[in-house]
Amino acid sequence: MAKEKTYRGVAVSPGVILGKVFILDSQEDTIVPHSIETSKIPYEIARFEEALIATRREILNIQKQISQKMGVDHAEIFNAHLMVLEDRSLIEEILKRLEKEKKNIEYIFQQVITKYSDVFSQIKDEYLRERASDIRDVGKRVLHNLLGKKKEDLSKLKEEVIVIAYDLSPSDTAAMHKENVIGFATDIGSRTSHTAIMARSLEIPAVVGLHDITKHVKNGDTVLVDGHRGIVILNPEKKTLGLYQEERTRIASFLVKLEKIRDLPAETKDGRRITLSANIEMPEDIPSVINHGAEGVGLYRTEFFYMGREDLPTEEEHYEAYMEVAEKVYPNDVIIRTMDLGGDKYLSHLDIPNEMNPFMGWRGIRYCLERLDVFEAQLRAILRASRLGNVKIMYPMISGVVEVIRANEILEGVKQRLDKEKTPYSKDIEVGAMIEVPSAALTARDIAKHVDFFSIGTNDLIQYSLAVDRVNEKVAYLYEPTHPGILNLIKSVIDAAHDNGIWVGMCGEMAGEPAMTMILLGMGLDEFSTSSASIPEVKHVIRSVNYEDAKALADKVTSFTTPGEIKGYAEKVLCKSVPELMEQKNKKLKHRR
Ligand code: PEP
Ligand code: MG
């Protein structure tokens, strides 16, 4: 019996699944070089041209299928692939080397494509770095056409498998049929790659960034993909399977229980009503929002529009997507956040420079306030989509009152132009500010006078307040939502909002942490917005407790001085108030090795 082995990577799409391995492809095709005669060069060139044409046809075909299945936005990604095929300097270098070195075209092609993708993968700018995977993906297709080899077609799979690959191109992920591909794991990748985003919208458990998993598994092996913890277990032992099975059964029966409260309000036992909404990245996420019982969308991240394309999204594209979401969640609300590119966000071709400190650089609202063409097109689309009355606007990365005033002036200008054109929109559309920069939290009382609501972005608020890079594993231990400094800031923002008669929500990950729910509730938070999958647990906590007890807890934790004490105490209280939930969490932790 082969030994169990655990590989660690990055969790990008939750869920746990056990299945048989299907290797889509590993890192490299081995091409043996051989010399050719000068007279054979035209023949090699003709083969190369044929391979390029065949690859172009393939990509256009996939683009068409994806456009039909998943929408035009997803299909746009392939424009970058088509551009690689047409890259003059790449093609010229291949032809030059062919003339000079007189080796088989497959070999020359592979050498040049590897050189190009290596150069791109070392560039600091994440957008350009991502082009490396486009080059690799297209390169593999061309090579397979040259070799007369067909890449495995995921849409034709006959049985359930877990796909293991060096990298998955967007075309691979999109071709996956949920019934047959039950999970996947890759050598490379990050949370913000196209693949990760697609995996989440397909709701397939996935782990990426496993370094060399393709070297350790073979077709037919049994693996367990744990998309919660970011691990892949090869040949799981009986004991491991037993633990996971227990967890699955427990989660399944707990989910059945949670299912029963799906359509009930997020209301405490003593009648405090909370709005519990979901975070989304694209209109395709809406079914999941509805299935998990969220009340609309509390954060629509709109960065996805700008990625994987060479041009700017048009006002019409924005409008269609926003309208689709507004209609689907109606009569619930959708809060559309204006574009927040920069930092760790999906990068696009936009002229955001390569900066030393991108998290503190020219991003989000800072970019929009300078690039009025980009900002106004988005604002016009949001306003037009507001005509049903359920759309709100939110500005990201606000650092002080001046930015809000300026953004509001621009919004006013856009409204006046719409009035002139007699284009309908909701005149009393609510406008909010994200509070995610410490200076905004500290001046929340001033900002509150210019907006209708706040949404606390704890992902960034924690990183900036504690000086902890939110994507750096080395300092992850310092990233503490229960740091007393963070809780003080959150409480002061909530009070500033209420004292000024506006409501306040939270859309950072902290809003989806059941152990934090009672504290936030007790501090007076009015709205929680989190990933769809976290909604049922948070709702369960809210419906199981009294607001009065939550207030007492929020008060009590102010007497502690360390994050650990606060976390420990909050969990203890939750254990008492919602025992079955904490039982779940504790059991999960027990075999987290
Ligand atoms: C946040 O910073 O908490 C937030 C919700 O925004 P994002 O994660 O998109 O930066
Ligand atoms: Mg943020």
Side-chain angles (χ1 to χ4, degrees):
M1 176 78 190
K3 251 185 104 180
E4 171 175 306
K5 190 135 194 341
T6 301
Y7 300 91
R8 282 170 205 284
V10 182
V12 291
S13 186
V16 174
I17 199 83
L18 177 77
K20 292 263 176 269
V21 165
F22 175 85
I23 306 224
L24 183 65
D25 56 10
S26 50
Q27 185 166 4
E28 293 295 348
D29 290 285
T30 324
I31 310 282
V32 184
H34 62 259
S35 300
I36 54 161
E37 286 166 22
T38 312
S39 62
K40 285 276 163 37
I41 288 179
Y43 174 70
E44 292 295 277
I45 295 177
R47 285 181 53 224
F48 180 45
E49 279 174 351
E50 268 172 34
L52 290 180
I53 294 167
T55 309
R56 188 179 163 75
R57 214 179 298 128
E58 260 172 37
I59 296 175
L60 287 172
N61 235 332
I62 298 166
Q63 194 172 36
K64 200 166 121 203
Q65 280 172 28
I66 288 178
S67 174
Q68 286 160 357
K69 265 206 296 194
M70 304 186 72
V72 192
D73 287 355
H74 289 281
E76 298 270 358
I77 292 165
F78 297 96
N79 290 341
H81 288 203
L82 291 170
M83 277 170 57
V84 175
L85 278 183
E86 284 155 14
D87 189 313
R88 280 320 308 165
S89 55
L90 180 92
I91 295 175
E92 270 160 26
E93 181 165 348
I94 292 166
L95 297 179
K96 254 195 218 143
R97 284 184 60 166
L98 178 67
E99 299 270 352
K100 195 165 152 237
E101 295 172 32
K102 298 190 181 59
K103 294 261 163 49
N104 47 331
I105 185 73
E106 291 87 350
Y107 175 73
I108 302 278
F109 178 78
Q110 195 184 40
Q111 296 286 307
V112 177
I113 213 87
T114 309
K115 185 184 101 181
Y116 266 65
S117 74
D118 284 353
V119 169
F120 274 86
S121 61
Q122 278 155 25
I123 294 177
K124 259 196 170 165
D125 180 297
E126 196 181 337
Y127 170 70
L128 290 176
R129 236 182 14 243
E130 283 216 354
R131 297 287 68 78
S133 77
D134 292 335
I135 296 172
R136 259 193 315 266
D137 189 28
V138 176
K140 269 198 175 148
R141 286 185 185 282
V142 175
L143 206 54
H144 285 187
N145 280 320
L146 277 171
L147 296 166
K149 227 167 76 171
K150 281 271 157 275
K151 190 170 172 176
E152 301 290 354
D153 185 350
L154 290 178
S155 61
K156 302 219 168 77
L157 281 172
K158 294 275 177 295
E159 52 176 9
E160 288 190 345
V161 292
I162 290 177
V163 171
I164 307 271
Y166 172 68
D167 189 13
L168 281 169
S169 65
S171 54
D172 295 325
T173 344
M176 283 180 182
H177 277 258
K178 239 167 108 177
E179 308 87 70
N180 288 332
V181 178
I182 53 176
F184 70 75
T186 60
D187 286 348
I188 64 166
S190 72
R191 265 193 83 75
T192 53
S193 55
H194 308 308
T195 308
I197 293 165
M198 291 231 196
R200 283 198 288 274
S201 53
L202 288 166
E203 297 189 41
I204 299 174
V207 179
V208 303
L210 288 145
H211 306 295
D212 54 1
I213 185 92
T214 49
K215 287 204 186 120
H216 300 280
V217 297
K218 51 185 188 325
N219 277 329
D221 276 350
T222 300
V223 290
L224 188 142
V225 174
D226 180 345
H228 295 292
R229 302 178 181 93
I231 57 176
V232 172
I233 305 176
L234 171 63
N235 302 318
E237 285 165 8
K238 254 198 176 152
K239 198 170 132 217
T240 311
L241 290 177
L243 286 169
Y244 271 98
Q245 190 48 44
E246 258 177 46
E247 180 171 309
R248 277 173 69 122
T249 319
R250 227 178 19 249
I251 293 175
S253 67
F254 189 57
L255 287 179
V256 169
K257 206 168 157 193
L258 292 184
E259 177 79 26
K260 296 200 181 106
I261 60 167
R262 200 186 79 159
D263 300 318
L264 297 176
E267 187 173 328
T268 61
K269 290 204 286 192
D270 50 355
R272 167 128 172 107
R273 178 78 163 86
I274 298 297
T275 305
L276 184 53
S277 43
N279 296 350
I280 64 161
E281 276 158 347
M282 42 194 148
E284 287 85 342
D285 296 336
I286 292 299
S288 176
V289 172
I290 294 167
N291 289 340
H292 288 95
E295 283 175 272
V297 173
L299 168 65
Y300 181 174
R301 291 183 166 101
T302 56
E303 294 75 40
F304 194 78
F305 275 117
Y306 299 84
M307 71 184 252
R309 57 189 296 161
E310 298 306 312
D311 55 352
L312 280 167
T314 62
E315 178 188 323
E316 230 31 54
E317 284 175 70
H318 281 293
Y319 169 72
E320 274 166 29
Y322 303 157
M323 204 58 219
E324 183 182 342
V325 173
E327 277 170 353
K328 285 193 173 147
V329 301
Y330 190 84
N332 287 320
D333 290 334
V334 47
I335 302 179
I336 304 177
R337 178 176 76 181
T338 58
M339 173 273 246
D340 185 28
L341 284 169
D344 68 328
K345 296 285 161 43
Y346 325 120
L347 290 131
S348 71
H349 76 292
L350 289 182
D351 48 350
I352 294 178
N354 203 358
E355 297 172 319
M356 274 279 271
N357 282 310
F359 276 111
M360 294 192 232
W362 195 43
R363 55 173 294 196
I365 197 74
R366 304 167 184 187
Y367 179 89
C368 286
L369 292 181
E370 273 190 53
R371 284 291 308 266
L372 292 192
D373 55 331
V374 176
F375 195 34
E376 288 181 348
Q378 189 174 25
L379 290 176
R380 271 182 69 92
I382 300 176
L383 285 170
R384 285 172 56 205
S386 73
R387 62 168 204 271
L388 295 178
N390 63 337
V391 168
K392 302 184 199 314
I393 298 180
M394 178 157 78
Y395 307 131
M397 283 299 292
I398 291 294
S399 65
V401 75
V402 176
E403 282 163 340
V404 181
I405 293 173
R406 181 70 193 120
N408 279 344
E409 279 168 5
I410 296 165
L411 181 66
E412 257 336 286
V414 176
K415 281 184 181 175
Q416 280 168 16
R417 265 167 272 150
L418 289 177
D419 285 335
K420 258 199 204 142
E421 295 165 17
K422 302 209 173 352
T423 305
Y425 66 91
S426 162
K427 304 273 174 195
D428 47 10
I429 184 167
E430 283 189 30
V431 178
M434 279 197 73
I435 303 294
E436 51 183 342
V437 176
S439 57
L442 294 166
T443 54
R445 281 175 195 278
D446 303 324
I447 298 174
K449 304 206 164 50
H450 301 273
V451 291
D452 304 297
F453 67 91
F454 284 158
S455 186
I456 306 174
T458 48
N459 303 345
D460 279 318
L461 188 63
I462 296 172
Q463 103 161 326
Y464 294 128
S465 305
L466 302 183
V468 180
D469 182 343
R470 72 191 243 192
V471 293
N472 184 340
E473 280 165 37
K474 288 224 169 67
V475 288
Y477 71 99
L478 286 171
Y479 193 93
E480 303 263 28
T482 50
H483 190 294
I486 298 297
L487 295 184
N488 283 343
L489 266 186
I490 292 175
K491 175 72 174 130
S492 71
V493 172
I494 295 174
D495 290 345
H498 290 167
D499 291 348
N500 283 282
I502 64 169
W503 63 269
V504 52
M506 177 177 286
C507 58
E509 294 299 310
M510 192 169 169
E513 262 302 316
M516 297 308 302
T517 308
M518 270 185 90
I519 296 181
L520 297 170
L521 189 64
M523 284 182 176
L525 197 71
D526 303 297
E527 182 235 29
F528 291 61
S529 188
T530 180
S531 65
S532 295
S534 309
I535 297 281
E537 285 191 355
V538 175
K539 189 187 277 187
H540 181 58
V541 174
I542 294 173
R543 292 185 56 83
S544 308
V545 302
N546 282 308
Y547 181 42
E548 286 309 314
D549 296 335
K551 279 203 283 195
L553 172 65
D555 206 33
K556 171 81 182 163
V557 295
T558 58
S559 63
F560 297 120
T561 54
T562 67
E565 282 170 307
I566 297 177
K567 190 162 180 273
Y569 191 77
E571 284 180 355
K572 213 166 91 187
V573 172
L574 192 61
C575 234
K576 256 202 192 147
S577 321
V578 199
E580 66 282 16
L581 180 78
M582 282 318 278
E583 197 184 310
Q584 288 265 357
K585 302 257 165 228
N586 290 339
K587 282 198 180 147
K588 259 192 212 172
L589 290 177
K590 248 188 226 163
H591 63 97
R592 185 180 289 184
R593 292 177 284 176

